[in-house]
Amino acid sequence: MKHSNVRVFDSSAQAIAFPLGGIGTGNISLGARGDLRDWEIFNHPSKGRILPTTFFAIRAQLPGQPPVVRVLEGPIQAPHTFPHGYHPHNSGGLPRLDGAAFRGEYPFAFIDFDDADLPVKVELEAFTPLIPLNAEDSGIPCVILTYTVTNPTDQSIPVTVVGSVTNPIGKTRQDYFTKVWLNDIGRPTNELRDENGMRGIYMYNKQLDSNDLTYGSFGLTTDFPDITAKTTWIRGAWWDYLQAFWDDLTVDGLLDDTGEGEPGERMATGSLGLVATLAPGEVKTMRFILTWYFPNRLRAWDTQVVQDLGLDVENIDHIQNHYATVFADAWAVARYVCDELPRLEADTRKFHEALFGSTLPPLVIDALSSNIVPLRSTTCFWLEDGRFYGWEGCHDESGSCPGNCTHVWSYAYTLAYLFPSLERSMRRTEFLVETNDIGFMNFRSFRTFHAQAAGKWYSPTRRAAVDGQMGSILRVYREWQLSGDRAFLNDVWPGVKRAMTYAVDHWDADHDGVLVGEQHNTYDIEFQGANPLATFYYLAALRAVEEMARVLGEPEVAAYHRQLFDRGQQGADELMWNGEFYVQVLDDINQYKYQHGSGCLSDQLLGQLHARALNLGSLLPEDHVHRAVKAIFDYNFKSNFRDHANCQRAFAVNDESGLLLCTWPNGQRPALPIVYSDEVWTGIEYQVAAHLIYEGWVDEGLLLVQAVRDRYNGVNRNPWNEIECGHHYARSMASWTVLLALTGMHSDLGRGEMSFAPVAQIVPADGLFRTFWSNGQAWGVYSQQRDPSTGEVVPSIEVLGGDLGSVSITACGRILSPTKTLIGRETSS
Amino acid sequence: MKHSNVRVFDSSAQAIAFPLGGIGTGNISLGARGDLRDWEIFNHPSKGRILPTTFFAIRAQLPGQPPVVRVLEGPIQAPHTFPHGYHPHNSGGLPRLDGAAFRGEYPFAFIDFDDADLPVKVELEAFTPLIPLNAEDSGIPCVILTYTVTNPTDQSIPVTVVGSVTNPIGKTRQDYFTKVWLNDIGRPTNELRDENGMRGIYMYNKQLDSNDLTYGSFGLTTDFPDITAKTTWIRGAWWDYLQAFWDDLTVDGLLDDTGEGEPGERMATGSLGLVATLAPGEVKTMRFILTWYFPNRLRAWDTQVVQDLGLDVENIDHIQNHYATVFADAWAVARYVCDELPRLEADTRKFHEALFGSTLPPLVIDALSSNIVPLRSTTCFWLEDGRFYGWEGCHDESGSCPGNCTHVWSYAYTLAYLFPSLERSMRRTEFLVETNDIGFMNFRSFRTFHAQAAGKWYSPTRRAAVDGQMGSILRVYREWQLSGDRAFLNDVWPGVKRAMTYAVDHWDADHDGVLVGEQHNTYDIEFQGANPLATFYYLAALRAVEEMARVLGEPEVAAYHRQLFDRGQQGADELMWNGEFYVQVLDDINQYKYQHGSGCLSDQLLGQLHARALNLGSLLPEDHVHRAVKAIFDYNFKSNFRDHANCQRAFAVNDESGLLLCTWPNGQRPALPIVYSDEVWTGIEYQVAAHLIYEGWVDEGLLLVQAVRDRYNGVNRNPWNEIECGHHYARSMASWTVLLALTGMHSDLGRGEMSFAPVAQIVPADGLFRTFWSNGQAWGVYSQQRDPSTGEVVPSIEVLGGDLGSVSITACGRILSPTKTLIGRETSS
């Protein structure tokens, strides 16, 4: 079901690339015109990569009329500035449809095509299964494209919908003219198969060794009964291939075989057509299932990191993607999808409906759903041994800053709530692999791949990231709350204690609860002296350790950290509160470069936000927090950037709005302040928005969310790709905190509790409120409505996946019992 | 003077890159926003290349108000999709102006900036001197940027206009984050100089050998008296450089020196500010002169061609640009420009005014002037020995199809009329170097650089291009008409005769005047059998040879070719006329691939068009020509491309219009026709437009010109870069033929004659008609007006450059005597 509360984009929204694909599988993206772009299924980012002669087309013919044959895309958009025009490989000269209206409701994308000449109406629905708590079925390397064709006339209309894909397996090069050529071992093979209700073209390459990094297969398949196929296009000179295909399609909508079965020196393009005659008024759904299998990765972050570490890439062996442990090849993936489709589709629709059918502000749903993308983008990968990894984001063709970066990922909540077992695997890496004997934690996980490369710039002697290290401790507590998994907690607990000890020893040697010294952090610089970001993070982490120590029966440990917390709680406020917000305290702000000093840092209360989300209580005087978060909004939110002089990186321009990272309302801006102060980061906007909402500044919080989503308007930027230091930036997954703040949802499976307390301002006037929720072991819909007879608000909860078990649920002063609907197969790991 | 009849573009016209720079110097282009883009001064194309932190800015301050500081550019345009935002090297975060209205009147570009906050009004005029017949002064490696600042207030306003350029000399690399770094020998030096009325920053690199391909220098200079400078920006960490510069500029509009004079590991950016206080109402012009000097090229087309020829690039030595024989370095260029500026500017303005002040249809002026660009773009180069060369066009970073390609360049008329000595050098290369003993001409000039590489795919045994070879013969006759240079004609004449003999022997062995056999041509395929393009080209060339033989006193030669012509004239029409247009005659059209057969080829009458332009008379029955050219328009012009199924390259899409290369109005389209039949090429549109106009179909001709220019509308494509197989495609210089057709201008200096006969439809209602003209030895303005008393049309001619000498001028049935104004230094070569 499509929803009316989402944005509709026309073909001018050329920034749109809606990523399809599963967790750890890479993506194929759908453009606003209906074009497939950014083929990123080869284990690295590939923004801008297209496959030659790869497109969908339709032929429809009214009786007695010439056929109408169109590429199933909206009009090609300016600029048309390729130095040789559109190459036939781009099929830019073929006729498109008049228009395409694109809507994205992640994980679904919908396009309504329209055309004055085409006698049928066509809609496209595209998705890859996504089921909360079911990482396996959310990690299938597939894209499901369903074209719905309607015959609005009173005549029968024969229709062919045909997908053409160029076999991408092998070694290719692109020439000056943008034409793609095969190298010696680039001769791929296409094969037409039809078995057990599924049929299509299986693409592979006999010449590649199964250990080759480019080894793999691809499937262009369907469950539609009536097909026509051109298994391999002719491989003639010039652009004979495209002419012959298009003419063949045009004549009768049926495709001839070319006899080009054997691998040749040119690309192997295959076409699969679905054929139907639509009776007057008839509606047909015609589904394509695209699957892929590229199992092999370097056992490393990537070659660049290997080189940066001074290692020889020749000595690095390969490791497989997790999905390679489940499937044998792309045909097996298609087989699974075809067999399990009813369940996969139903469960994905339940999730989609739970989210988009909620009464949350549409822009919040937008922010929430769109930022699920990073965890299914090439920012992340998932290995055969179950480990899950994330870059910070992506360059166009490689990851952008490696290593599960603790300070960036500490802002991200989405994965923890949707796929907590994967999130826990990151904690295991941090505390079981990357934290050394004295509790120093590599804030980038390199040791996990390259233990031999210690001594490099990210070596222990160099620096620990105070916010990352504290953030990881807090996240252990979160993962505990979202799992109640004592085995997990036991595993990481020694590392947690060591990491906390390191923090105390290195930054709080005088045990006053206020951090000092050189404090590396997410701004890629070192804060010096007392500063709110680091110290409040520390206070929150002290509380988390206290709570975990209690759970694990270590009261002395709990008491020790509580004592530090109590001291810091008082001292920090006294030291850093300036009457409006919290400041960094340094005698001489210019003694060190890149400090913030008396500036108003948007992140100053991040530790408190985490504490709030994790139910750790107040770290600071409540009225100070209440005023400080508003001061952040008042001083740092800019409603336009026309006059903004930003000598740093620019993520907001012209008439856009956004939240600056730091301003100096009282002057005293350092000559060279914190290096990102004049920038705008979506992850920080979201965490501040959540905090504003928690503190009752709901309009202000929603305005921040609005500002982000307005910048990502399809023309300026891609709504499904929030950028910072890279595409699909992990910090953007802070948007989940906005959901937590608006719904007041909190869960602690260790205690067997879950509760809701939606913010009054977003409860609709009719009193009927609905929201999606997930607590790590189940997910569903929470509702409340006003009983018209009593005026009383009556809550209810529906479980759509997982097993809520014996969790006690509190809302509106009542204890609820859930309606269970069991699906999914998430298990503790 | 700006003209009101040109298009005005706002900052959304992001396809615009207006190339500045001289003949054989490369270019820096001006974007619609006022940004400098496409730095192509390094002896190869570089579409998209920008220099880091290179931009112009203004600071203005009303008394008692904060200063307004802005980058002198219109607003940055969407999409803003860099994976890390705009890097500080792009200065994307700095405030721009509200708007920029861009107008291009080649060689001048004008921008009117506007901004609500800036207290002064700013306009920019940019140009590089261009003076017809004066190749030297049209080949200066410089850009002159003049900012005109107006104070519309009643208060004095201090203003600084500052240009910042990053020293581009040396070896650099760009990292993932788009940041530019220096390599070991990339440490450049900036030096502030002030001498003899000229001052500025001289940029060079002491570490490079003067023979290095990247060796060179750059000048950021001015003749403005009051300057402030930051010779080299600080080279601190992060983006300290930009912050320090911007803050320094903001404080007081005066720049501090940084003491960074010695070469360092980071880039050397230099800023030159022009400082003035504008009294109420005052207008100041503040001029920057950018000059460059990159003398060294490979003595070859480029490394790719060297490799394609199987040669070792290590064995290829260097050759210098022509401009390196004139200037010693970029400072000397600036010196010359500064000293000669009054003359250079005045003469350039005369040319500009002669063209844009004419009464020709504005879109014709647009087509004519914009397609001067190719000869000053990186499509062409000009060597120290005086030889001039042209690619067909450019890829983004290299030439696109090398070798003065005879078949493509035969469409181009612009260079012959503006800089005939350079055009003659191409004929010398063709007939003195590339034409062998039996008259086979390499249609790509490779022998000139690589005599040792015979035997490759462009070897004599492979193929001669029939249209190119005939075109070169015709162009010899044109160059003779435009020079009357008997020495030139004598030099190339033996080659011309051999080339003609080859054509007769190989394609007209039966001497019937109709060509048959395998005829390679500009469609990159071989025509077979009788076809109008080849045969009519041949007939025109026979006539040209006849005429030249008469000039040179070889009556037998003249008679022989006349005889062939006479036979062909009759036979060709009988054989190929289908009643509407001319067709290819082949028994079995599908016996060979890529033929056009019964199709209506837009180029079918190209030989006749050349004959018309060169006054060689009719090759065919006049009524057939008259009807055929109209048939071309009727059948091949498409008013939109929505339904056009083009499996070839696409140069027109959606609602654009244009002329197809070939259609089959009577059916019988081959399954695989001529490989470009469904494409649209501007060069062919122009030649057909000219022919339509010659034949009286003036509206149709102008509609074709309109179609081209509408496609190049600044948003879809760059109006100053017509593309085909590459940017700045040489064939687009066919637009000059439209001028010839509209004005009826013809010159034959061999005979000492020049004549005008403007098409009645374009003479304005008031009877006053004005046009630019050039005849190879002089240029100026031709006018005619109606005498109100007699009703008689009175012609007059003004010479603005060169020396018309004793040429007899005929117009309106009169003989005119010119008003002479001598400038320029074009000499016969």
mmCIF file of all heavy atoms in Angstrom, chain A residues 30 67 78 103 144 148 257 274 294 341 433 500 536 621 627 639 643 690 731:
data_model
loop_
_atom_site.group_PDB
_atom_site.id
_atom_site.type_symbol
_atom_site.label_atom_id
_atom_site.label_comp_id
_atom_site.label_asym_id
_atom_site.label_seq_id
_atom_site.Cartn_x
_atom_site.Cartn_y
_atom_site.Cartn_z
ATOM 1 N N LEU A 30 17.488 2.625 -7.673
ATOM 2 C CA LEU A 30 16.443 3.017 -8.612
ATOM 3 C C LEU A 30 16.404 4.537 -8.678
ATOM 4 O O LEU A 30 16.290 5.203 -7.649
ATOM 5 C CB LEU A 30 15.095 2.459 -8.137
ATOM 6 C CG LEU A 30 13.895 2.667 -9.068
ATOM 7 C CD1 LEU A 30 14.039 1.842 -10.342
ATOM 8 C CD2 LEU A 30 12.589 2.314 -8.348
ATOM 9 N N PRO A 67 2.570 -0.596 -32.971
ATOM 10 C CA PRO A 67 2.942 -0.840 -31.577
ATOM 11 C C PRO A 67 3.583 0.403 -30.958
ATOM 12 O O PRO A 67 4.229 1.188 -31.657
ATOM 13 C CB PRO A 67 3.960 -1.977 -31.677
ATOM 14 C CG PRO A 67 4.527 -1.864 -33.049
ATOM 15 C CD PRO A 67 3.410 -1.345 -33.919
ATOM 16 N N ALA A 78 18.372 16.854 -18.431
ATOM 17 C CA ALA A 78 19.549 17.675 -18.702
ATOM 18 C C ALA A 78 20.477 17.653 -17.482
ATOM 19 O O ALA A 78 20.007 17.427 -16.375
ATOM 20 C CB ALA A 78 19.122 19.120 -18.998
ATOM 21 N N ARG A 103 7.819 7.694 -5.624
ATOM 22 C CA ARG A 103 7.648 7.815 -4.177
ATOM 23 C C ARG A 103 8.464 6.734 -3.501
ATOM 24 O O ARG A 103 8.430 5.571 -3.902
ATOM 25 C CB ARG A 103 6.176 7.653 -3.810
ATOM 26 C CG ARG A 103 5.338 8.724 -4.473
ATOM 27 C CD ARG A 103 4.010 8.862 -3.823
ATOM 28 N NE ARG A 103 3.178 7.735 -4.118
ATOM 29 C CZ ARG A 103 2.000 7.539 -3.533
ATOM 30 N NH1 ARG A 103 1.569 8.383 -2.606
ATOM 31 N NH2 ARG A 103 1.264 6.508 -3.861
ATOM 32 N N ILE A 144 13.416 -6.989 -6.164
ATOM 33 C CA ILE A 144 12.147 -7.456 -6.733
ATOM 34 C C ILE A 144 11.462 -6.271 -7.385
ATOM 35 O O ILE A 144 11.167 -5.273 -6.723
ATOM 36 C CB ILE A 144 11.267 -8.091 -5.645
ATOM 37 C CG1 ILE A 144 11.992 -9.295 -5.038
ATOM 38 C CG2 ILE A 144 9.908 -8.496 -6.229
ATOM 39 C CD1 ILE A 144 11.389 -9.815 -3.761
ATOM 40 N N THR A 148 3.066 -3.312 -12.655
ATOM 41 C CA THR A 148 1.626 -3.557 -12.722
ATOM 42 C C THR A 148 1.093 -2.827 -13.950
ATOM 43 O O THR A 148 1.249 -1.613 -14.071
ATOM 44 C CB THR A 148 0.934 -3.048 -11.447
ATOM 45 O OG1 THR A 148 1.482 -3.748 -10.328
ATOM 46 C CG2 THR A 148 -0.568 -3.313 -11.522
ATOM 47 N N ASP A 257 15.913 -15.874 -30.571
ATOM 48 C CA ASP A 257 17.236 -16.250 -30.098
ATOM 49 C C ASP A 257 18.247 -15.889 -31.183
ATOM 50 O O ASP A 257 17.937 -15.860 -32.374
ATOM 51 C CB ASP A 257 17.303 -17.747 -29.784
ATOM 52 C CG ASP A 257 18.558 -18.066 -28.994
ATOM 53 O OD1 ASP A 257 18.954 -17.228 -28.156
ATOM 54 O OD2 ASP A 257 19.157 -19.128 -29.222
ATOM 55 N N LEU A 274 8.258 -10.615 -20.390
ATOM 56 C CA LEU A 274 7.043 -11.234 -19.860
ATOM 57 C C LEU A 274 5.918 -10.840 -20.809
ATOM 58 O O LEU A 274 5.757 -9.659 -21.135
ATOM 59 C CB LEU A 274 6.759 -10.734 -18.440
ATOM 60 C CG LEU A 274 7.977 -10.685 -17.490
ATOM 61 C CD1 LEU A 274 7.507 -10.386 -16.063
ATOM 62 C CD2 LEU A 274 8.797 -11.952 -17.546
ATOM 63 N N PHE A 294 28.211 -12.341 -5.450
ATOM 64 C CA PHE A 294 29.628 -11.992 -5.594
ATOM 65 C C PHE A 294 30.275 -12.237 -4.239
ATOM 66 O O PHE A 294 30.362 -11.337 -3.407
ATOM 67 C CB PHE A 294 29.787 -10.548 -6.074
ATOM 68 C CG PHE A 294 29.259 -10.366 -7.465
ATOM 69 C CD1 PHE A 294 27.963 -9.909 -7.678
ATOM 70 C CD2 PHE A 294 30.032 -10.722 -8.557
ATOM 71 C CE1 PHE A 294 27.462 -9.785 -8.968
ATOM 72 C CE2 PHE A 294 29.532 -10.605 -9.855
ATOM 73 C CZ PHE A 294 28.243 -10.138 -10.061
ATOM 74 N N LEU A 341 8.700 -16.131 -1.340
ATOM 75 C CA LEU A 341 8.211 -14.778 -1.594
ATOM 76 C C LEU A 341 6.949 -14.409 -0.819
ATOM 77 O O LEU A 341 6.869 -13.304 -0.264
ATOM 78 C CB LEU A 341 8.014 -14.561 -3.099
ATOM 79 C CG LEU A 341 7.818 -13.104 -3.512
ATOM 80 C CD1 LEU A 341 8.959 -12.236 -3.020
ATOM 81 C CD2 LEU A 341 7.730 -12.992 -5.034
ATOM 82 N N VAL A 433 38.272 -7.662 20.839
ATOM 83 C CA VAL A 433 39.417 -7.628 19.914
ATOM 84 C C VAL A 433 40.208 -6.325 20.022
ATOM 85 O O VAL A 433 41.429 -6.329 20.061
ATOM 86 C CB VAL A 433 38.937 -7.816 18.450
ATOM 87 C CG1 VAL A 433 40.123 -7.819 17.497
ATOM 88 C CG2 VAL A 433 38.108 -9.078 18.306
ATOM 89 N N MET A 500 36.799 1.443 30.831
ATOM 90 C CA MET A 500 36.432 2.506 31.765
ATOM 91 C C MET A 500 37.629 2.877 32.633
ATOM 92 O O MET A 500 37.861 4.062 32.920
ATOM 93 C CB MET A 500 35.253 2.035 32.609
ATOM 94 C CG MET A 500 34.487 3.160 33.206
ATOM 95 S SD MET A 500 33.878 4.269 31.880
ATOM 96 C CE MET A 500 33.091 5.508 32.813
ATOM 97 N N PHE A 536 30.295 14.825 29.705
ATOM 98 C CA PHE A 536 28.937 14.296 29.871
ATOM 99 C C PHE A 536 28.832 12.878 29.307
ATOM 100 O O PHE A 536 28.081 12.055 29.813
ATOM 101 C CB PHE A 536 27.896 15.220 29.225
ATOM 102 C CG PHE A 536 27.895 16.614 29.782
ATOM 103 C CD1 PHE A 536 27.268 17.660 29.112
ATOM 104 C CD2 PHE A 536 28.510 16.915 30.996
ATOM 105 C CE1 PHE A 536 27.265 18.955 29.621
ATOM 106 C CE2 PHE A 536 28.520 18.215 31.511
ATOM 107 C CZ PHE A 536 27.903 19.238 30.820
ATOM 108 N N PRO A 621 21.706 19.231 36.142
ATOM 109 C CA PRO A 621 20.461 19.858 36.606
ATOM 110 C C PRO A 621 19.450 19.950 35.468
ATOM 111 O O PRO A 621 19.773 20.407 34.375
ATOM 112 C CB PRO A 621 20.923 21.246 37.070
ATOM 113 C CG PRO A 621 22.352 21.080 37.421
ATOM 114 C CD PRO A 621 22.887 20.051 36.462
ATOM 115 N N ARG A 627 17.295 24.308 29.311
ATOM 116 C CA ARG A 627 17.654 25.601 28.714
ATOM 117 C C ARG A 627 18.781 25.457 27.689
ATOM 118 O O ARG A 627 18.799 26.140 26.669
ATOM 119 C CB ARG A 627 18.056 26.588 29.812
ATOM 120 C CG ARG A 627 16.853 27.072 30.626
ATOM 121 C CD ARG A 627 17.279 27.611 31.985
ATOM 122 N NE ARG A 627 18.116 28.801 31.863
ATOM 123 C CZ ARG A 627 18.775 29.351 32.898
ATOM 124 N NH1 ARG A 627 18.703 28.801 34.113
ATOM 125 N NH2 ARG A 627 19.500 30.430 32.711
ATOM 126 N N SER A 639 18.260 29.511 9.390
ATOM 127 C CA SER A 639 17.140 29.261 8.477
ATOM 128 C C SER A 639 17.551 29.474 7.015
ATOM 129 O O SER A 639 16.838 29.042 6.116
ATOM 130 C CB SER A 639 15.949 30.140 8.820
ATOM 131 O OG SER A 639 16.323 31.487 8.754
ATOM 132 N N ASP A 643 24.216 34.072 3.743
ATOM 133 C CA ASP A 643 25.270 34.953 4.264
ATOM 134 C C ASP A 643 26.337 34.209 5.063
ATOM 135 O O ASP A 643 27.235 34.829 5.621
ATOM 136 C CB ASP A 643 24.644 36.014 5.200
ATOM 137 C CG ASP A 643 23.618 36.848 4.464
ATOM 138 O OD1 ASP A 643 23.660 36.866 3.221
ATOM 139 O OD2 ASP A 643 22.787 37.460 5.144
ATOM 140 N N ALA A 690 16.043 15.094 18.753
ATOM 141 C CA ALA A 690 15.496 14.164 19.746
ATOM 142 C C ALA A 690 15.551 14.779 21.138
ATOM 143 O O ALA A 690 14.592 14.696 21.922
ATOM 144 C CB ALA A 690 16.276 12.851 19.707
ATOM 145 N N ARG A 731 26.367 8.173 10.886
ATOM 146 C CA ARG A 731 25.852 9.053 11.944
ATOM 147 C C ARG A 731 24.378 9.403 11.698
ATOM 148 O O ARG A 731 23.649 9.715 12.638
ATOM 149 C CB ARG A 731 26.687 10.328 12.015
ATOM 150 C CG ARG A 731 26.602 11.020 13.370
ATOM 151 C CD ARG A 731 27.278 12.404 13.415
ATOM 152 N NE ARG A 731 28.540 12.519 12.742
ATOM 153 C CZ ARG A 731 29.742 12.418 13.328
ATOM 154 N NH1 ARG A 731 29.823 12.194 14.627
ATOM 155 N NH2 ARG A 731 30.850 12.552 12.611
#
